[in-house]
Amino acid sequence: MAIERTLSIIKPDATRRNLTGKINARLEEAGLRIVGQRRIRLTREMAEKFYAVHAERSFFNDLCAFMTSGPVVVQVLEGDGAVARNREVMGATNPQNAAPGTIRRDFAESIEANSVHGSDSLDNAAREVAFFFAETDIVG
Ligand code: ATP
Ligand code: MG
């Protein structure tokens, strides 16, 4: 498989519980390399723009409120088939459906506060990486 880059976000429920290091260890153990990383506080405007694809969903307002409720860690992951690999390590959106050993199964609080985001396709990965990172801030 080809070397890819994908966007990961460690969400506010996880930063609040000081789980950044534990989550990063899971990513690295899965063969993903953290080639860009920044801890930031999303503004409401950024959250709405980032999740624009979900604007019509019933949970959109709550999701944007949650994502701005505390710091997040945005990160670029690089590795063989990184987009799918990261989705595997994350586990299903609802932690109750997530496989044992996945980040969401082990750390998520709820379907909303599910600890991590990961791009769901190579095209979205490129768009989402560019949303947060300049090419000069990514060092492979
Ligand atoms: P992400 O995009 O964060 O990686 P995902 O691709 O697994 O997660 P999406 O369907 O894209 O899931 O939903 C985006 C986010 O919206 C979810 O991660 C979760 O935080 C929230 N969400 C999704 N479905 C629900 C729901 N039914 N109720 C509340 N929040 C939800
Ligand atoms: Mg998604």
Side-chain angles (χ1 to χ4, degrees):
M1 208 175 261
I3 299 294
E4 297 174 352
R5 282 180 178 173
T6 190
L7 184 85
S8 167
I9 304 178
I10 301 178
K11 295 185 179 183
D13 66 286
T15 61
R16 189 183 312 117
R17 288 174 291 147
N18 220 15
L19 292 171
T20 299
K22 283 198 170 121
I23 290 173
N24 280 350
R26 298 288 184 97
L27 300 173
E28 291 181 340
E29 282 158 12
L32 294 163
R33 189 172 290 271
I34 302 164
V35 295
Q37 181 166 251
R38 211 163 74 245
R39 181 173 166 110
I40 58 172
R41 183 80 181 241
L42 293 180
T43 62
R44 178 79 191 194
E45 194 180 8
M46 286 165 86
E48 287 179 0
K49 198 166 163 201
F50 184 77
Y51 279 118
V53 61
H54 295 308
E56 304 308 318
R57 307 285 289 276
S58 59
F59 58 80
F60 180 69
N61 256 317
D62 284 350
L63 175 61
C64 292
F66 164 63
M67 290 299 288
T68 56
S69 68
V72 300
V73 178
V74 292
Q75 43 190 198
V76 183
L77 308 179
E78 186 177 85
D80 218 26
V83 173
R85 186 81 191 103
N86 183 41
R87 299 284 296 188
E88 261 173 45
V89 178
M90 288 163 59
T93 310
N94 185 341
Q96 291 181 346
N97 303 329
T102 60
I103 292 170
R104 283 168 165 169
R105 172 68 166 259
D106 293 345
F107 299 125
E109 293 181 324
S110 67
I111 189 169
E112 176 180 87
N114 59 4
S115 302
V116 282
H117 163 87
S119 308
D120 60 10
S121 70
L122 204 49
D123 281 355
N124 282 339
R127 233 170 7 86
E128 292 178 358
V129 166
F131 188 89
F132 289 109
F133 289 90
E135 198 52 44
T136 47
D137 291 332
I138 305 170
V139 183

